[in-house]
Amino acid sequence: MNELNVLNGANGASMVAPMAAPINVNDCLLQLYEEHYELEDYQKGVPRWCTGCGDNAILTAVQRLCRDEKLAPEKTVFVSGIGCSSRLPHYMNTYGFHSLHGRALPIAEGVRLARPDLKVFVNMGDGDCCSIGAAHWIHAIRYNMNMTAMLHDNNIYGLTKKQASPTSPIGLKTNTTPRGSYLEALNPLTVTLGVSNVSFVAQVVDWIPKLLYQTLSAAYHHKGFSFVRIIQRCPEWLPTHMDEYLHDPQRVLLLHHENGLEIDSELAKRYTKMEEHDPSDLNRAREIASGSDPIPVGILYRNENVPLYEEVRADTRLRTTSLVKNGLEAEFDKFTIWPEGHARATA
Amino acid sequence: MIAAGEVGTVKNGKAARKNAGVQAAGGVLARKVTRLSEHIVEIISDSGEGAQKCGQSFGAIVAQMGLGVWTTEIIPAEIRPPARSVAGASGNRIRIGSKHISNGGNETDLVIAFNEQVLLGRVRANELKPGCTILLESMWRDDRRIATTYADAVDQLLAAGFKVVEIPMDKECRKIVSDPRKGKNMFVLGILCGLYSLDLQTARDQVVLTFGKKSAKVIESNIALLDAGYAWADANLDFKYEVPATKSTEPQIVVNGNTALALGVLASGMEICAMYPITPATSTSHYLSDAFQEVGGVVHQAEDEIAACAFAIGASYAGKCTVTVTSGPGYSLKQEAIGLAVMGEIPLVVINVQRGGPSTGQPTKTEQGDLMTAIFGSHGDAPKVVIAPGTIEECFYSVITARKIAETFNMVVVILSDANLASSQQPFKRPMFDEAWLAPPIDQSAIPAGAKPYDWDPKTGLARRFIPGQPGGMHTLTGLAHDENSHVAYDAEINQRAMRARSLKLATLQKTLKPPTVFGDRTGDLLVIGWGSTKGAIEEAVEGLRQEGKKVSSTHLTFIQPMPPGIKEILAGFKKVITIENNWSDSPVDEMIDESNRRYSALAMLLRSRYLVDVDCWSECRGTPLKPNTVRRVILEAIA
Ligand SMILES: Cc1ncc(C[n+]2csc(CCOP(=O)(O)OP(=O)(O)O)c2C)c(N)n1
Ligand code: SF4
């Protein structure tokens, strides 16, 4: 209010030329004030992940994204399941929902259907999403609600201390597979790309911050359910597991396209293994997705034309008291017996 | 309670067979008209033959005429069991009376059956009154493959003392339609209307309503069938019943419990219902799916019950109190999520339309087996509110109450209905919309600086709810133990404080409840306590016995968690207290049972532990609604 007076001049006279349409200075100021955010506006507490944990990189990228997209913290919700990765909402100064092991997606769907005005993000671990939450994951793809789901995939159960996860590669020694994992790893990308209604699938690794940011940003801007698998290090339980990929740029395949990610020159110098991939090409996306070495990184698939559940299902009418009253009375009437001569409640 | 009057000149035995269907010479029958204060009639067929529709229409006509009525569906376990099978009985049971009817009543007085096999199913289930009148389709007598079985069955029925009247339904219907399988039910409806001296025009109007969306031709032929049945009964049956009606002066509404729940959801202002199909709860969501189209709202059919409950929690967290509807097995799956809502203090309404358990149990049969799960279910100490409607009308209002409590106390409210209420129909006073029923709009005002998301009031345990979108209210809700700021905290002190707050809310709610009413005197020899759908049967039995001078009263609990105040005082007025329930309890006379190992029925267990009173119990798990006669017998034994 004070600033307003200053801007308007002591006598409140408009500073705009008399012929122009009057500008509501009040609104401009509010807008300016509300839409400018600093990184610390999104930061909360000190993350308690192990040193070097890939979750830190994901958190940083997400905070930057919120700042750059000017997401109002009160209109942003991070929903997570249970696991190390699912602690992420606690470190965001937005609304958060740290829920149940495997159930982040249906909770996020409820939030989304109730409140299309909120921005919804989902953080899940590989056990969380691909094991206990597998049914919800597949159906979240089908529903195609507008939200960004991040799969923090460290190939291991972190929080429960090193058990095999569905994405653990064959031979991986864990507490439940001391002589090596014996099942073929589940590939979250091919699964996602196999579900009808799939609308956005990307993969990225935690150790290339710029790409991580770019990928999450593309996912955020996608209209529909965007699924990003982030290959993530867990130095606590698998300290050397990803080293070969980390140290050898040739073990990463950068996907780029004018409709996908643009690779800046600095990255291009280091990651020379590249493929120009059009994200609208589902068949090629599936082929790329099935490869794991080199790790394909970038947008595999994008289709903006899949109908959104919340739009297909939503009622666009304003739900007013009189609408409910009329609807309800009409419903009552369907089952009502009126005594002779009794006037009906509704005409 | 008055039993069915004797039917005068029912044609019996061989004579009946010969005369049935034969137009009486001269057209005028010496007819015996019996005046009754109430009667129970059953219409049963193979599934798909329309006995359900016939029964429902009959119930509606009877209600229009101003009679008290309670209809109960007879549902086989399979969707289409083999035709003409004992297990395949499908239909409707309608109890009509001059006065208000509060339950399905005792055994059936008159049954109209489309074949003798489905009828035998009802005889074996002991659902027919001894000497009950049976109107039976006679076409099977002419079917070479079936004739012998049929004749044998009829002889058996006659030998058992039933009065059998054979009716050539198929033959009569063929005079009007080419496929009697599709029209027999309306012909039978006509017979019933004739038999009970109902107004034919009211019946015709009902048929129009029943087939409302069908073509004019379909409606016409069904009305013709109705008229034909009416005329046939008039010309051929030498008996008739009259149940005098006392017309209601108030508008009444006739729905089953599931529809009443759905109407309650609409009326409470909830606009999202998350569910996964399960019998007998699902029809609630069927009805809502359609009705929501008019008032704005969504039924979300989730991938499973876990997701449905989580979805409801997400929506409630975001500011719109949401309902999730299920039955026993689905309720088990929701337990983990219900615990999350308790811990996060998210308002949530969970409807459990109980069915016979455990496991998949008896999907279409009734039981009150989930009371303990509702109260104690979910791991750890998870206090939640449990309410049990006792009538169809209460089904409606319980949802409105539940939503209000859920949002005021930020609690989970479980509504325990059951298969008995779900599919029974009973008229009740038509509700008139009240704005106060609706949920308030979502609060998006800024949170004052310094306010905490779990600022538990030390006296009540209540805290204001922070809803996403409120500036300054950012926090992360968690199912982990947390402090007032919603920060994960495992401190001894904090955990104790948070547990206290969550539990205290129940006591706070309890202080707002009224003591339960006593049906009958406040002192006497015996007090019967019930909960949920057994209300009508218990009160009817108690009323009858009181008229005979027995010092018996009853009370019915709608709030089971928390229990209302004043119960101890009520218990103190009686020499003996017994709960009567539709769940399991050991019989004290069983050889292996003694005081140290007897398992009590659910409510008895709760009352015994809370009030230190020797509450006895009687219960059964037959899958059928409790009969007033059964309650009567139990009471007489208890006071003997
Ligand atoms: C119903 C249920 N089952 C099991 C657990 C125990 N649990 C907690 S986290 C977790 C798995 C963690 O692994 P992941 O999802 O890969 O996440 P990370 O910790 O690696 O980020 C399990 C099994 C639980 N909390 N709830
Ligand atoms: S255990 Fe692994 S995943 Fe969990 S915080 Fe430590 S490094 Fe990260």
Side-chain angles (χ1 to χ4, degrees):
Chain A
M1 273 304 145
N2 282 340
E3 295 100 303
L4 242 189
N5 283 340
V6 174
L7 252 192
N8 275 347
N11 57 4
S14 169
M15 297 168 74
V16 185
M19 291 307 290
I23 291 176
N24 190 336
V25 184
N26 198 351
D27 282 353
C28 297
L29 258 190
L30 275 174
Q31 212 118 30
L32 193 71
Y33 175 71
E34 281 182 4
E35 289 205 353
H36 177 75
Y37 294 103
E38 302 285 347
L39 255 188
E40 56 255 39
D41 289 327
Y42 300 94
Q43 294 165 341
K44 190 171 79 182
V46 183
R48 298 218 213 144
W49 290 306
C50 312
T51 318
C53 173
D55 287 331
N56 291 293
I58 301 172
L59 177 67
T60 308
V62 157
Q63 286 170 337
R64 271 192 55 205
L65 179 75
C66 289
R67 181 204 50 196
D68 296 350
E69 299 300 336
K70 301 186 176 73
L71 301 187
E74 70 272 16
K75 290 278 196 183
T76 307
V77 185
F78 280 81
V79 184
S80 66
I82 291 292
C84 295
S85 38
S86 290
R87 291 289 178 122
L88 188 138
H90 285 285
Y91 312 131
M92 293 297 302
N93 186 31
T94 61
Y95 279 88
F97 197 145
H98 180 205
S99 69
L100 292 168
H101 194 34
R103 318 297 172 208
L105 285 168
I107 287 180
E109 290 154 15
V111 173
R112 183 70 203 152
L113 190 71
R115 296 286 302 278
D117 59 317
L118 300 175
K119 302 278 184 229
V120 180
F121 296 86
V122 187
N123 298 88
M124 304 167 285
D126 38 317
D128 209 30
C129 173
C130 310
S131 198
I132 190 168
H136 308 313
W137 164 37
I138 296 203
H139 289 276
I141 303 164
R142 275 185 71 223
Y143 297 139
N144 193 40
M145 299 183 113
N146 195 6
M147 58 176 77
T148 304
M150 289 164 254
L151 168 62
H152 301 225
D153 190 353
N154 53 12
N155 292 181
I156 194 84
Y157 281 22
L159 194 69
T160 45
K161 305 186 176 170
K162 203 181 183 180
Q163 296 82 18
S165 111
T167 61
S168 295
I170 263 187
L172 188 75
K173 289 199 163 76
T174 75
N175 284 329
T176 44
T177 56
R179 297 173 194 205
S181 181
Y182 34 80
L183 289 178
E184 196 58 61
L186 178 144
N187 182 335
L189 296 181
T190 50
V191 171
T192 308
L193 287 166
V195 179
S196 55
N197 265 10
V198 58
S199 79
F200 183 100
V201 184
Q203 174 161 278
V204 66
V205 295
D206 81 53
W207 57 87
I208 315 178
K210 203 173 262 171
L211 267 188
L212 177 57
Y213 176 87
Q214 271 184 289
T215 313
L216 288 179
S217 171
Y220 167 76
H221 284 287
H222 175 74
K223 185 169 164 257
F225 182 75
S226 49
F227 179 82
V228 185
R229 179 196 191 193
I230 307 162
I231 294 179
Q232 175 222 334
R233 287 164 297 167
C234 171
E236 181 67 21
W237 307 125
L238 302 173
T240 57
H241 183 56
M242 304 213 179
D243 277 2
E244 28 182 325
Y245 297 96
L246 197 62
H247 299 311
D248 181 0
Q250 291 299 307
R251 304 281 295 273
V252 171
L253 171 70
L254 276 190
L255 305 175
H256 67 99
H257 191 264
E258 53 179 352
N259 299 325
L261 294 187
E262 270 179 48
I263 306 300
D264 82 14
S265 53
E266 214 179 302
L267 274 180
K269 247 184 260 164
R270 187 162 154 72
Y271 296 95
T272 49
K273 220 177 185 123
M274 289 203 208
E275 176 178 332
E276 190 168 4
H277 166 62
D278 180 352
S280 63
D281 183 347
L282 182 58
N283 285 334
R284 181 63 196 142
R286 286 178 174 150
E287 278 166 24
I288 297 171
S290 56
S292 57
D293 194 358
I295 302 173
V297 161
I299 301 173
L300 283 100
Y301 184 65
R302 172 160 59 201
N303 179 358
E304 298 263 0
N305 298 323
V306 185
L308 285 183
Y309 186 90
E310 59 267 50
E311 283 177 7
V312 178
R313 302 288 285 134
D315 193 316
T316 48
R317 284 172 297 180
L318 190 62
R319 195 181 199 265
T320 58
T321 305
S322 68
L323 189 63
V324 177
K325 177 184 181 343
N326 294 341
L328 198 61
E329 296 284 13
E331 290 303 321
F332 287 154
D333 277 354
K334 284 186 189 164
F335 308 104
T336 300
I337 302 168
W338 299 95
E340 267 159 50
H342 195 287
R344 291 182 165 244
T346 46
Chain B
M1 207 211 56
I2 293 151
E6 250 311 289
V7 175
T9 50
V10 176
K11 290 162 260 166
N12 236 339
K14 292 228 164 64
R17 264 181 250 152
K18 228 174 35 211
N19 290 343
V22 180
Q23 193 94 17
V28 184
L29 282 171
R31 198 192 320 275
K32 161 124 183 181
V33 179
T34 314
R35 266 174 89 88
L36 303 160
S37 65
E38 73 149 80
H39 221 212
I40 300 179
V41 54
E42 238 177 61
I43 304 138
I44 47 168
S45 67
D46 289 337
S47 69
E49 286 186 313
Q52 282 289 3
K53 203 172 241 176
C54 173
Q56 279 156 5
S57 309
F58 181 65
I61 297 162
V62 164
Q64 306 268 355
M65 308 266 320
L67 288 162
V69 58
W70 182 285
T71 74
T72 311
E73 286 176 15
I74 299 164
I75 315 166
E78 292 86 18
I79 300 299
R80 277 222 195 279
R84 292 176 41 81
S85 66
V86 171
S90 163
N92 214 290
R93 187 175 190 276
I94 308 103
R95 182 182 183 201
I96 61 178
S98 295
K99 283 198 298 188
H100 175 77
I101 303 262
S102 65
N103 66 89
N106 299 311
E107 288 77 24
T108 300
D109 297 296
L110 181 134
V111 50
I112 186 154
F114 289 27
N115 69 61
E116 83 293 349
Q117 295 300 318
V118 289
L119 185 65
L120 291 179
R122 301 299 290 163
V123 174
R124 282 180 204 164
N126 257 338
E127 291 291 346
L128 307 188
K129 189 171 278 177
C132 153
T133 302
I134 293 169
L135 309 186
L136 185 58
E137 161 71 279
S138 63
M139 65 181 279
W140 314 105
R141 213 171 259 294
D142 309 324
D143 187 323
R144 226 183 294 144
R145 290 161 306 164
I146 292 167
T148 329
T149 358
Y150 175 83
D152 286 352
V154 173
D155 286 343
Q156 267 178 47
L157 292 166
L158 288 170
F162 292 108
K163 293 167 185 130
V164 183
V165 181
E166 295 183 65
I167 299 179
M169 303 178 194
D170 189 82
K171 197 171 124 208
E172 291 297 320
C173 289
R174 275 184 201 283
K175 294 178 185 165
I176 298 163
V177 286
S178 56
D179 180 7
R181 255 185 77 82
K182 288 219 175 97
K184 217 184 261 185
N185 60 346
M186 288 299 120
F187 179 76
V188 163
L189 182 63
I191 292 184
L192 286 173
C193 290
L195 206 52
Y196 287 92
S197 325
L198 303 182
D199 179 47
L200 188 57
Q201 192 48 47
T202 309
R204 286 189 190 123
D205 292 347
Q206 185 57 41
V207 173
V208 174
L209 268 180
T210 304
F211 293 95
K213 282 178 186 157
K214 297 271 165 70
S215 69
K217 215 176 135 213
V218 171
I219 295 175
E220 246 168 60
S221 74
N222 278 292
I223 289 184
L225 285 160
L226 173 90
D227 287 353
Y230 194 94
W232 192 91
D234 213 42
N236 295 285
L237 295 175
D238 62 355
F239 59 99
K240 241 181 182 234
Y241 305 107
E242 256 179 43
V243 186
T246 22
K247 285 217 166 188
S248 166
T249 51
E250 279 175 331
Q252 287 188 301
I253 185 162
V254 193
V255 291
N256 67 23
N258 277 356
T259 306
L261 288 168
L263 287 168
V265 172
L266 290 183
S268 73
M270 287 191 276
E271 42 192 298
I272 297 176
C273 165
M275 52 72 73
Y276 184 79
I278 185 165
T279 307
T282 319
S283 69
T284 308
S285 56
H286 293 175
Y287 177 74
L288 266 183
S289 303
D290 191 43
F292 264 156
Q293 302 276 314
E294 300 306 318
V295 300
V298 177
V299 170
H300 173 70
Q301 179 176 331
E303 56 272 24
D304 57 33
E305 282 89 351
I306 299 173
C309 197
F311 191 101
I313 288 171
S316 289
Y317 157 80
K320 291 193 175 172
C321 183
T322 299
V323 60
T324 181
V325 185
T326 192
S327 185
Y331 188 75
S332 291
L333 286 177
K334 289 177 199 275
Q335 294 295 335
E336 188 203 24
I338 287 173
L340 170 67
V342 171
M343 190 59 143
E345 304 189 41
I346 300 170
L348 177 70
V349 178
V350 185
I351 296 176
N352 177 354
V353 184
Q354 301 163 95
R355 65 193 222 178
S359 190
T360 26
Q362 304 198 88
T364 56
K365 310 249 176 216
T366 193
E367 194 179 294
Q368 301 181 305
D370 299 349
L371 183 59
M372 291 306 201
T373 325
I375 294 177
F376 299 112
S378 208
H379 47 279
D381 187 66
K384 45 196 122 44
V385 178
V386 179
I387 51 183
T391 63
I392 312 278
E393 182 176 21
E394 284 174 21
C395 284
F396 173 75
Y397 289 104
S398 67
V399 187
I400 301 170
T401 310
R403 204 272 306 149
K404 276 214 154 99
I405 294 174
E407 293 212 301
T408 310
F409 291 83
N410 296 334
M411 287 191 95
V412 175
V413 183
V414 182
I415 297 176
L416 285 179
S417 178
D418 63 23
N420 178 21
L421 290 174
S423 58
S424 299
Q425 283 190 296
Q426 177 200 27
F428 61 90
K429 188 177 164 219
R430 182 195 190 278
M432 291 292 168
F433 175 76
D434 183 346
E435 222 177 293
W437 292 343
L438 295 183
I442 295 177
D443 182 2
Q444 294 287 266
S445 61
I447 300 287
K452 299 169 185 164
Y454 293 98
D455 220 345
W456 298 298
D457 180 314
K459 199 169 144 222
T460 61
L462 292 171
R464 108 174 239 177
R465 175 170 159 220
F466 287 25
I467 297 169
Q470 291 189 287
M474 286 83 78
H475 70 285
T476 293
L477 186 143
T478 176
L480 291 169
H482 51 264
D483 64 11
E484 285 86 342
N485 284 309
S486 198
H487 292 158
V488 176
Y490 306 137
D491 296 38
E493 251 334 287
I494 292 171
N495 197 47
Q496 189 73 10
R497 196 161 69 232
M499 288 281 238
R500 176 175 173 274
R502 288 191 296 270
S503 177
L504 208 50
K505 294 193 286 183
L506 279 180
T508 307
L509 169 61
Q510 195 254 7
K511 298 283 180 217
T512 70
L513 301 180
K514 285 196 214 105
T517 49
V518 176
F519 185 79
D521 291 328
R522 294 187 70 94
T523 56
D525 294 335
L526 180 75
L527 176 73
V528 176
I529 310 188
W531 65 279
S533 75
T534 55
K535 186 175 186 173
I538 291 177
E539 291 188 351
E540 185 172 318
V542 167
E543 186 178 21
L545 286 163
R546 289 182 59 77
Q547 276 167 14
E548 294 167 28
K550 302 281 189 281
K551 292 194 167 67
V552 185
S553 302
S554 70
T555 190
H556 211 77
L557 299 185
T558 309
F559 274 86
I560 308 187
Q561 170 96 328
M563 281 199 192
I567 294 180
K568 191 158 190 136
E569 293 71 19
I570 295 172
L571 298 180
F574 294 86
K575 285 192 198 143
K576 217 175 155 183
V577 181
I578 186 171
T579 71
I580 295 186
E581 302 176 58
N582 229 329
N583 51 43
W584 183 256
S585 65
D586 290 333
S587 160
V589 301
D590 278 358
E591 206 178 322
M592 304 296 286
I593 304 301
D594 55 44
E595 234 180 277
S596 69
N597 65 15
R598 180 177 181 203
R599 295 177 63 219
Y600 285 84
S601 57
L603 183 61
M605 221 183 297
L606 294 172
L607 293 170
R608 289 171 72 84
S609 68
R610 181 174 296 259
Y611 299 106
L612 299 179
V613 170
D614 190 12
V615 178
D616 198 356
C617 62
W618 180 90
S619 66
E620 65 173 9
C621 284
R622 311 177 72 85
T624 50
L626 209 55
K627 291 190 167 69
N629 267 352
T630 312
V631 180
R632 180 189 163 85
R633 196 197 72 224
V634 173
I635 293 177
L636 285 173
E637 277 166 20
I639 54 175

